[in-house]
């Protein structure tokens, strides 16, 4: 079971989507990471240069990891489970129209991807954040659903 064995993880957003302001992307990514640091003994620090544990980027089609994106719709993003190098990295499909509302909600998709980056697989529980298919829910005061919370606390205790 891959997991992080350090308590402070760095993250860096290397390419921003033009769909949202840079400050909106920074704030949304920080919020999506906080739902995990609220329930497990991990902290996240943003860095603006060098290599971070979690490298975050918006790219389309072939982007150097042999899992090319597929244009608008279908695959929205992917992330790698904990580990060195590409481990923990999260890639977002730039061909989506990223929003802070319903369609391609950056907060919800990022929260899902960071679940993978923490070591979570997909869940069969319909209401879980880690359920394979995207379903929009109101993100005001969003709390990690119980199935995901149990899953991540089982890994990080
Ligand atoms: C086989 C994987 C590369 C699929 C990919 C995924 O699961 N990434 O983590 C993905 O983008 N799945 C889409 C499936 C879809 N288009 O409904 C998705 O929205 N996953 C992200 C997501 C976001 C928020 C909530 C949930 N449940 C799922
Ligand atoms: Zn997924």
């Amino acid at each position: 079971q891959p997991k992080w064995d350090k308590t402070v993880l760095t993250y860096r957003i290397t390419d921003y989507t033009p769909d949202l302001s840079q400050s909106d992307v920074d704030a949304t990514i920080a919020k999506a990471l906080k739902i995990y640091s609220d329930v497990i003994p991990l902290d996240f620090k943003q860095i603006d240069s060098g290599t971070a544990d979690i490298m975050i980027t918006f790219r389309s089609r072939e982007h150097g990891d042999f899992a090319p994106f597929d244009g608008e719709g279908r695959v929205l993003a992917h992330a790698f489970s904990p580990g060195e190098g590409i481990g923990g990295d999260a890639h977002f499909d730039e061909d989506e129209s990223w929003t802070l509302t319903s369609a391609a909600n950056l907060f919800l998709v990022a929260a899902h991807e960071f679940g993978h980056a923490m070591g979570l697989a997909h869940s069969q529980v319909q209401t879980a954040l880690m359920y394979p298919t995207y379903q929009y829910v109101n993100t005001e005061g969003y709390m990690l659903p119980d199935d995901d919370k149990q899953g991540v606390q089982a890994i990080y205790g």
Side-chain angles (χ1 to χ4, degrees), residues 74-78 108-109 112-113 116 122 129 131-134:
R74 293 175 308 284
V75 172
L76 304 181
H78 56 226
L108 286 173
V109 177
H112 174 94
E113 298 312 326
H116 290 309
H122 282 154
L129 176 60
Y131 190 70
T133 51
Y134 175 80

Side-chain angles (χ1 to χ4, degrees), residues 7-140:
T7 55
V8 178
L9 294 175
T10 54
Y11 69 97
R12 180 179 168 205
I13 304 166
T14 57
D15 303 277
Y16 283 81
T17 172
D19 302 340
L20 296 164
S21 72
Q22 198 160 326
S23 59
D24 276 350
V25 173
D26 285 344
T28 303
I29 294 296
K31 233 175 86 181
L33 286 166
K34 187 173 181 302
I35 64 172
Y36 294 99
S37 53
D38 282 350
V39 298
I40 52 177
L42 274 185
D43 258 334
F44 299 100
K45 296 273 173 281
Q46 184 173 15
I47 59 175
D48 297 320
S49 64
T51 303
D53 297 306
I54 299 174
M55 297 291 272
I56 296 162
T57 183
F58 290 79
R59 304 289 294 280
S60 54
R61 300 294 179 180
E62 180 50 54
H63 53 282
D65 64 4
F66 302 114
F69 283 132
D70 54 6
E72 185 157 20
R74 293 175 308 284
V75 172
L76 304 181
H78 56 226
F80 299 86
S81 48
E84 291 304 307
I86 202 164
D89 294 1
H91 301 163
F92 296 82
D93 188 347
E94 184 40 63
D95 284 336
E96 313 303 334
S97 301
W98 294 103
T99 77
L100 300 181
T101 53
S102 50
N105 181 285
L106 181 58
F107 171 75
L108 286 173
V109 177
H112 174 94
E113 298 312 326
F114 295 142
H116 290 309
M118 291 304 110
L120 289 179
H122 282 154
S123 164
Q124 301 314 310
V125 173
Q126 289 263 348
T127 52
L129 176 60
M130 296 314 292
Y131 190 70
T133 51
Y134 175 80
Q135 46 211 0
Y136 176 73
V137 292
N138 186 323
T139 59
E140 284 304 305

